[in-house]
Amino acid sequence: MPHVITQACCGDASCVYACPVNCIHPTPDEPDFGIAEMLYVDPATCVDCGACVSACPVGAIVPGHRLPDASERFADVNAAHYGHVQDGVARFPVPHDKRLPLAPITKPRAVRGGPDVLDIAIVGSGPSAMYAADELLKQPRVRVTVYERLDVPFGLSRFGVAPDHTSTRSVMNLFDDVARHPNITILLNTEIGRDISLGDLRSRHHAVVWAGGAPTDKTLAIPGVQLSGVQSATSLVGWYNGHPDFIDAGPDLSCERVVVIGNGNVALDVARILTADVDELAKTDISREALAALRSSSVREVVVVGRRGPAHAAFTLPELIGLADGHARVQVRPEDVEGISADDIDDSTVAAKIALLHEISMNEFSQGPTPAEPFIRLAFGRTPVEVVGDGEATGVRFVRTGTEVEETIDAGLVLTSIGYRGVAVPGLPFDDATGTIANVAGRVVDGDTTVPGMYVTGWIKRGPSGFIGTNKTDSGETIANLLADVEAGVLSAVS
Ligand SMILES: Cc1cc2nc3c(=O)[nH]c(=O)nc-3n(C[C@H](O)[C@H](O)[C@H](O)COP(=O)(O)OP(=O)(O)OC[C@H]3O[C@@H](n4cnc5c(N)ncnc54)[C@H](O)[C@@H]3O)c2cc1C
Ligand SMILES: NC(=O)c1ccc[n+]([C@@H]2O[C@H](COP(=O)([O-])OP(=O)(O)OC[C@H]3O[C@@H](n4cnc5c(N)ncnc54)[C@H](OP(=O)(O)O)[C@@H]3O)[C@@H](O)[C@H]2O)c1
Ligand code: SF4
Ligand code: SF4
């Protein structure tokens, strides 16, 4: 049975390079890599060698005959990427040899020129920082110092990834390996801009790579968001993951219904955690304070509301499958998916999402009486216009997107989950429109001028999108340019 990539895939492409028969796509040099929601094994070509399993840092690849029930759907999802699945049979209209070649495996080349020992600072220790460090440490004469403001490393892989996503969180083992390299030093509890100025940092190192992430959330500009009982998903995630900045962000869970505005993967994470079996959560890394609060929670329903229709839902297919086939109880009201057919949609990932939403709309939670156990409702096509309430939020008023039809959904807790945002770093040019440090392919730029010795990577470079593994290719680009600048003699000039 061919191997199958499942929900935990975070797109770092390690498996691509391990596969001897080029059957995992898209590869980083194929056009759709940047927008793919996961990678896929071609079942027609896989020779079941298992090499990809050892390469995957998050245990996302499973031999077909060992797929757990909750992941069975992923066999079709992998096959569908290469053609069609009809009546459970995968068909392959695109001959394998017509596809783009395997992503080239390039042996790291020793960088020439520049100082004998290259001393590089990285600000932050999240995924983008650790992938950047890994790339730099392939050069024997590089020394890396990582500066992290918190007392524990690895950024959102520790404080963002949901506690019940234990496979994904295991990517921290990979970062631990990088941290064990003899040429890296990680300084915790050290905030650049507070404990050390950026100017000092730049004078101490040949180059600085800023990998500080996008730590704040986008604010929803509607009346009522300041009411008590409204908070960002960012703060809720920080709270249940024990982030020191959000210790006091515990929500009031004495209400029966929660509304989540926005339907990206973060919205699904918070909805899942608020409705999860607390005894199962107790086996995870969730903060003990959050666990205690969830144990006495009165929440029975979490409504996740997207402003656009189901075909434009921001959550990804692997996460929807995880929700539908995992422990969650999920409801989609039939009228929310009425008139939209998977058959009319060319994009196989979107078509699969629509088909699954239709399937959910036929399940017991959607067709039967209101479930007794906590459940999640996925709602679409509603634009929020006001949080209603007098001092305390009591609900959200929406209009049906594109119409003037109004609807108020009552709720005692309102979570805004409309995306993250980078914050400006004093002394560095900031692009306010995108919330990123201004850069071209990782080189910081001020207008038309490159700022020598200053680089960026991760969410503060490209904006708050993509998976953990996306930062690997992103950091690869930044570090390639940094090393090219070493060879061009640019860095030694600022040391
Ligand atoms: C809630 C949530 C859940 C997610 N779940 C998943 C998932 O399940 N799977 C997946 O593939 N992707 C997931 N992602 C996406 C993934 O976490 C991001 O792609 C990734 O973490 C971005 O990495 P980064 O290094 O740019 O930023 P971050 O991970 O935010 O790291 C930035 C680091 O910089 C530090 N820092 C900031 N400023 C300073 C300073 N001045 N001095 C010193 N240190 C500083 C911060 O403390 C932090 O440690 C999730 C994202 C979120 C928000
Ligand atoms: N398991 C995982 O792999 C995982 C888990 C968590 C996060 N992540 C990744 O981390 C990134 C961030 O996730 P995210 O969920 O924070 O962001 P996101 O995917 O960008 O979703 C943001 C949501 O907010 C909505 N929105 C934005 N502005 C709005 C407004 N003014 N009013 C109403 N709705 C608004 C968007 O709607 P529109 O689409 O209409 O703009 C969208 O539904 C994503 O790339 C995500 O995939 C991955
Ligand atoms: S099992 Fe072997 S052939 Fe199949 S996808 Fe993995 S590495 Fe490729
Ligand atoms: S996480 Fe990386 S190695 Fe694992 S399946 Fe996804 S792309 Fe491949």
Side-chain angles (χ1 to χ4, degrees), residues 10 124 126-128 147-149 155-156 160 192 211-212 420 459 466-468 471:
C10 69
S128 67
Y147 297 85
E148 168 56 55
R149 63 179 282 263
L156 286 171
I192 302 309
Y420 282 62
W459 274 16
F467 313 107
I468 287 172
N471 300 292

Side-chain angles (χ1 to χ4, degrees), residues 215-414:
T216 186
D217 46 279
K218 286 187 191 140
T219 40
L220 185 62
I222 59 170
V225 283
Q226 78 293 346
L227 291 175
S228 135
V230 182
Q231 73 180 81
S232 66
T234 312
S235 65
L236 191 90
V237 167
W239 169 71
Y240 65 57
N241 276 328
H243 190 299
D245 292 355
F246 299 103
I247 294 296
D248 298 326
D252 180 350
L253 298 176
S254 60
C255 58
E256 293 216 339
R257 188 183 293 122
V258 178
V259 162
V260 184
I261 297 175
N263 67 2
N265 283 341
V266 172
L268 293 198
D269 279 352
V270 297
R272 227 178 40 250
I273 295 300
L274 287 173
T275 55
D277 177 339
V278 184
D279 290 333
E280 289 302 313
L281 282 182
K283 300 173 193 162
T284 72
D285 289 343
I286 192 166
S287 96
R288 296 300 108 175
E289 289 75 16
L291 189 67
L294 289 167
R295 230 178 243 297
S296 52
S297 165
S298 302
V299 172
R300 286 284 161 271
E301 177 179 2
V302 179
V303 190
V304 176
V305 189
R307 60 182 168 180
R308 296 193 282 165
H312 296 101
F315 52 70
T316 56
L317 177 62
E319 289 308 302
L320 181 64
I321 292 176
L323 202 65
D325 294 346
H327 298 293
R329 287 159 290 274
V330 194
Q331 179 186 85
V332 172
R333 296 204 175 149
E335 62 267 25
D336 268 7
V337 282
E338 212 170 59
I340 305 160
S341 166
D343 296 339
D344 300 334
I345 295 170
D346 290 337
D347 183 313
S348 68
T349 305
V350 178
K353 273 189 211 176
I354 297 296
L356 182 48
L357 289 170
H358 273 289
E359 192 182 315
I360 296 170
S361 76
M362 302 302 289
N363 73 12
E364 56 182 305
F365 310 117
S366 307
Q367 298 280 331
T370 304
E373 296 284 291
F375 70 101
I376 298 167
R377 176 182 156 207
L378 301 178
F380 301 93
R382 291 164 175 87
T383 301
V385 287
E386 182 187 8
V387 179
V388 292
D390 183 9
E392 288 188 4
T394 55
V396 183
R397 188 161 59 87
F398 294 92
V399 291
R400 292 298 185 121
T401 306
T403 75
E404 292 184 352
V405 179
E406 291 196 356
E407 178 191 4
T408 297
I409 303 181
D410 294 338
L413 175 64
V414 178

Side-chain angles (χ1 to χ4, degrees), residues 19 83 125 137 168 174 306 315 365 445 466:
C19 178
S125 66
L137 292 167
T168 309
L174 179 80
F315 52 70
F365 310 117
V445 292

